[in-house]
Amino acid sequence: MTVQPSEQVVPFEQVVEEHGLVVLRVCRAILDPVDADDAWSETFLAALEAYPRLGPGSNVRAWLVTIAHRKAIDRHRSAARNPVPTATVPEPGVGHEEPALAGDDALWEAVRTLPPKQRAAVAYRYVADLPYREIGALMGISETAARRNAADGVAALRTTWRPSDEGQEASDQPGPARSGSWRR
């Protein structure tokens, strides 16, 4: 790709700063925290290599989420080939926190229990804020199927997840029950 003098190429460091948290949130919504961190790193290593070939005017966020999606698939495939340890589970690290998923742990646990397509559609729509057309392309399904998967995932979450503040009525709760949107 030859860059014309009138085109401004954004430094890759700025791309990481701008989109890194969204990509990490998507990875952590789809994978467990350790695999998510690895997938995030692999995403940006692959993106760094391919960034010079990215066309002008491309949707960088959607491109990065696509790479992250493929890295997550790779992680799932490799996990299926790995032996499952049966020894004693080690103690969790002290002070290990998931900053990208800080908030309601019960919600993120509920998201992790969704079927893979619903979990991915919910993450891409409400964490990465991608339009359904791009979600469908990313998942290899139609825009309508992407919309259905996200809607089914949100519906399942509404039946299984309760906000942590039980003292308020459901209509007083922020979030989808009141506002109609899972966006923060």
Side-chain angles (χ1 to χ4, degrees), residues 34-101:
V34 173
D35 284 340
D37 291 346
D38 291 343
W40 183 89
S41 297
E42 292 170 9
T43 296
F44 281 100
L45 285 173
L48 177 62
E49 183 179 326
Y51 187 64
R53 297 185 303 274
L54 186 64
S58 296
N59 183 340
V60 177
R61 176 179 285 189
W63 175 68
L64 289 169
V65 170
T66 300
I67 295 170
H69 170 76
R70 292 181 180 145
K71 295 300 179 183
I73 289 172
D74 292 346
R75 285 271 159 195
H76 282 295
R77 287 178 181 158
S78 68
R81 292 187 299 262
N82 290 337
V84 178
T86 57
T88 306
V89 179
E91 292 291 322
V94 176
H96 177 70
E97 185 154 331
E98 300 177 27
L101 295 181

Side-chain angles (χ1 to χ4, degrees), residues 12-21 44:
F12 190 74
E13 179 180 353
Q14 184 177 342
V15 170
V16 174
E17 287 176 14
E18 185 175 334
H19 301 289
L21 188 58
F44 281 100

Side-chain angles (χ1 to χ4, degrees), residues 29-31 76 111-124 149 153:
I30 296 171
L31 298 166
H76 282 295
V111 169
R112 286 185 189 103
T113 65
L114 292 173
K117 282 190 177 182
Q118 290 179 10
R119 181 173 60 237
V122 166
Y124 297 148
N149 278 309

